[in-house]
Amino acid sequence: MASASTSSTSYFPPYQDSSPILPDPPHSPWRSRTHLFRRRPLHFRQVAFIVASITFTFSLFAFYHYRDSSYQYDLDGVSPPAVDSESLSYRPTFDNVHAHRPPAHHVPPALANTVAAAEPEPSPQPEPVPHDALSPAAPPPLALEPIVFSLIMFYENSAAEGAILIKSLILYSSHPLEFHIICDQSAQEYLERRIALIKHPQHDVLIRFYRIPFDRMEARIQREGAISTDHSAGVPGLMKLFIHEILPPSVKRAIFVDTDAFFISDPAQLWARFAALQPGTAISMPYHPDQSEPEWHDANKICSCIMLLDLQHLRDLRLMDSSYYRADPEAARVPPLGPSAFEAMFGKPIPADAEAGTVKYDGVKLGDQGYWWAIVKHRPDLFEHLSFDWEVSSCLMDMYLKGLGEDDADEAHEAWDQVHTHATPEQGRAVLPKMVHFNCLDGVDRYYDWSGWSDPENGLAQRWLPAVRYHVGYKWLWLNTPASNASLTMETLFDVKFADEIFAEERASAAPAVDENDDI
């Protein structure tokens, strides 16, 4: 049988496939071609090309060398000034972090003089004329007017809601702020723990606490003579009628806001409304002529949840009566505004407690709002409507169906989609929310604990829950602006007296002293 012969094949050519340890490996084809070129004689054209290339290269090198050496002197033969070492080591300072580095910064020190020589000497420029030589010096910027708020917070639950309101105002305000807070000890302590976290506010902030004992508030109501309340806000809620008496005369105007609300815009826009009011206006609040409830004497036509108050005008009008005024012959000549307005709406006071001899107005509903409605109804010349933008309320108004979402909605769509604006001053205009008010959420002491927020089918939660979560959870610490020079000041006034008390004390001190030895 013939034996089978085997042969091995490889993908690589033999000279690559051969072993490197063989004594005589096959010749490479490239190496063979090199030998062929080496044996060929050079033709004339090849020699000429090589000589021309070498000549051109040396000529180009000589040209650039001559050009660089000529920069050592300018055309007039004057040496250029040396480059200042400071300009080569320039670094932008922290005061000018975006300053551009000069071109010399990128030049190695050894070539600095060469680059400087290449730059033509700049022509002399005229000295700039000082600005004050052309026009008078510009006046310093005017200090921003502080925005003044008056708030009422009694008990910790009220302060917990009010803290979110204050936080939102500091967050969005472009002006300094003043807060005059009528409160008790528990509310003050709750607020202080949070406000103290602000070390560097964006603008100056003044927090002034007015500590009024409960019995002193009750005594002031009794001195008025006939006002009372069955509203859940109780006696502290009636203090909204006495803000002009509690705050000192130096506070001329103030914005009042209920605690269960917060801002979503700059309050400076609201403060600017004071300048647009008519000279005789003392009160501005939202007006809803489309609302009616005879049992409440239609007090739901307004909302005292937010008010612009001309405190000085209210003082001049003597808004609320007092037994101290009635006992003084001179003061009695100036009739107070309140009693005449209250009697016009509610009638003469009726007995409240026969044994105590107290009286009250009958049928007053909605607490202080019932009295404010009587005042503006009796004296419409003192009142102006405040835009619904500043009272987007969950109670009765259902927020006008406003809410987050559809960020590209235009004004026509917003006006068409809203409710409770027909036959009101806002008819035909889109309500643009700037303050939101979560009232009438029954069953909880703090509106953000309302069970409806966890209901995915609830319309109010669908539209406003993200805003509530954001403003409740925004940290007080984040209100700091480290680069700001503004300050935050907290003050406390104890044993605060009402204006009628101060009036009585001043009258008593001005009365001539009676000499007991004088014969009668």
Side-chain angles (χ1 to χ4, degrees):
M1 178 179 282
S3 61
S5 62
T6 61
S7 63
S8 63
T9 61
S10 174
Y11 173 79
F12 300 101
Y15 70 90
Q16 291 180 339
D17 196 35
S18 59
S19 173
I21 62 175
L22 293 177
D24 189 15
H27 293 288
S28 168
W30 298 105
R31 194 175 296 171
S32 301
R33 292 178 184 177
T34 304
H35 289 301
L36 292 176
F37 279 115
R38 194 177 296 170
R39 296 190 185 98
R40 285 183 183 178
L42 293 175
H43 295 286
F44 174 78
R45 285 183 298 177
Q46 294 173 332
V47 173
F49 176 77
I50 294 172
V51 172
S53 299
I54 295 174
T55 304
F56 177 77
T57 302
F58 275 98
S59 299
L60 190 64
F61 175 78
F63 171 77
Y64 278 105
H65 179 72
Y66 174 77
R67 189 197 66 173
D68 292 342
S69 62
S70 66
Y71 284 160
Q72 297 299 323
Y73 303 97
D74 60 12
L75 297 177
D76 296 329
V78 180
S79 298
V83 178
D84 188 1
S85 60
E86 294 183 359
S87 65
L88 298 178
S89 60
Y90 174 79
R91 292 288 191 279
T93 64
F94 287 107
D95 294 334
N96 189 14
V97 293
H98 299 291
H100 296 287
R101 302 169 187 250
H105 180 79
H106 300 283
V107 180
L111 300 180
N113 291 334
T114 302
V115 175
E119 297 291 338
E121 184 177 358
S123 58
Q125 299 293 329
E127 291 292 331
V129 180
H131 178 72
D132 54 5
L134 300 177
S135 60
L142 297 177
L144 295 174
E145 181 183 14
I147 304 172
V148 182
F149 287 89
S150 179
L151 310 175
I152 298 175
M153 303 181 200
F154 280 80
Y155 315 117
E156 186 171 301
N157 285 326
S158 177
E161 293 183 335
I164 301 169
L165 169 62
I166 294 174
K167 188 200 307 181
S168 70
L169 291 167
I170 299 176
L171 174 63
Y172 294 118
S173 181
S174 61
H175 282 229
L177 293 166
E178 289 185 12
F179 295 98
H180 300 266
I181 304 174
I182 303 167
C183 63
D184 63 357
Q185 180 177 348
S186 62
Q188 179 177 350
E189 291 176 350
Y190 184 94
L191 293 173
E192 283 181 331
R193 288 195 298 271
R194 285 151 178 81
I195 297 172
L197 295 171
I198 306 177
K199 308 297 183 183
H200 303 282
Q202 178 72 28
H203 303 283
D204 289 335
V205 178
L206 169 64
I207 310 284
R208 182 175 293 161
F209 299 103
Y210 295 75
R211 295 277 293 277
I212 305 180
F214 204 87
D215 57 353
R216 179 158 283 176
M217 293 189 293
E218 290 182 319
R220 179 62 186 97
I221 292 173
Q222 293 173 2
R223 290 197 300 273
E224 192 285 331
I227 65 173
S228 61
T229 181
D230 59 2
H231 192 267
S232 59
V235 169
L238 289 181
M239 291 300 102
K240 292 159 68 172
L241 296 163
F242 298 94
I243 292 175
H244 64 291
E245 289 197 16
I246 298 172
L247 272 56
S250 59
V251 182
K252 307 294 184 182
R253 299 176 298 177
I255 301 171
F256 174 85
V257 187
D258 276 353
T259 58
D260 51 354
F262 58 78
F263 277 60
I264 56 175
S265 63
D266 188 351
Q269 300 176 62
L270 180 58
W271 185 254
R273 287 294 308 155
F274 273 112
L277 298 178
Q278 296 297 319
T281 301
I283 310 159
S284 179
M285 66 180 82
Y287 175 51
H288 301 272
D290 60 318
Q291 298 295 308
S292 178
E293 183 55 63
E295 185 181 353
W296 299 343
H297 296 275
D298 291 340
N300 57 330
K301 288 184 180 293
I302 62 170
C303 184
S304 62
C305 53
I306 182 167
M307 300 185 287
L308 304 186
L309 299 176
D310 187 330
L311 301 179
Q312 188 56 51
H313 198 2
L314 295 177
R315 295 180 187 115
D316 295 339
L317 291 169
R318 188 170 290 171
L319 178 64
M320 303 302 291
D321 199 5
S322 170
S323 57
Y324 292 149
Y325 299 143
R326 294 191 293 268
D328 186 270
E330 184 176 346
R333 297 193 189 101
V334 181
L337 174 59
S340 59
F342 303 152
E343 289 185 14
M345 179 163 288
F346 309 118
K348 292 287 186 179
I350 63 174
D353 188 335
E355 295 182 359
T358 58
V359 295
K360 68 175 184 178
Y361 294 107
D362 188 32
V364 182
K365 299 298 181 181
L366 305 184
D368 69 283
Q369 186 167 303
Y371 295 105
W372 282 114
W373 171 237
I375 292 169
V376 301
K377 181 75 172 176
H378 184 62
R379 289 288 304 273
D381 57 304
L382 302 176
F383 174 76
E384 286 191 37
H385 166 68
L386 180 62
S387 170
F388 293 168
D389 295 355
W390 301 103
E391 182 240 355
V392 180
S393 170
S394 61
C395 189
L396 300 180
M397 300 300 105
D398 196 27
M399 316 293 278
Y400 312 105
L401 285 186
K402 298 297 177 183
L404 302 176
E406 298 185 27
D407 64 335
D408 61 342
D410 57 21
E411 187 171 359
H413 180 270
E414 284 287 284
W416 176 83
D417 206 30
Q418 67 194 18
V419 296
H420 297 304
T421 57
H422 180 70
T424 73
E426 309 289 331
Q427 180 174 341
R429 188 191 75 85
V431 175
L432 309 176
K434 293 176 171 52
M435 190 276 285
V436 289
H437 185 202
F438 299 103
N439 52 345
C440 298
L441 303 183
D442 299 327
V444 292
D445 294 323
R446 306 177 185 185
Y447 67 84
Y448 52 82
D449 291 333
W450 179 53
S451 60
W453 296 123
S454 60
D455 181 3
E457 302 299 324
N458 186 278
L460 182 64
Q462 291 173 352
R463 300 193 305 274
W464 288 105
L465 177 59
V468 173
R469 283 178 171 171
Y470 174 78
H471 289 86
V472 171
Y474 193 95
K475 300 181 186 299
W476 286 86
L477 191 67
W478 298 350
L479 295 174
N480 284 288
T481 305
S484 173
N485 292 323
S487 62
L488 186 145
T489 305
M490 285 193 286
E491 302 173 350
T492 302
L493 301 181
F494 295 92
D495 196 26
V496 177
K497 296 180 180 179
F498 290 85
D500 69 326
E501 293 179 282
I502 298 175
F503 169 83
E505 291 176 356
E506 290 176 349
R507 288 295 190 182
S509 62
V514 177
D515 190 351
E516 298 179 356
N517 296 325
D518 289 346
D519 295 331
I520 299 178

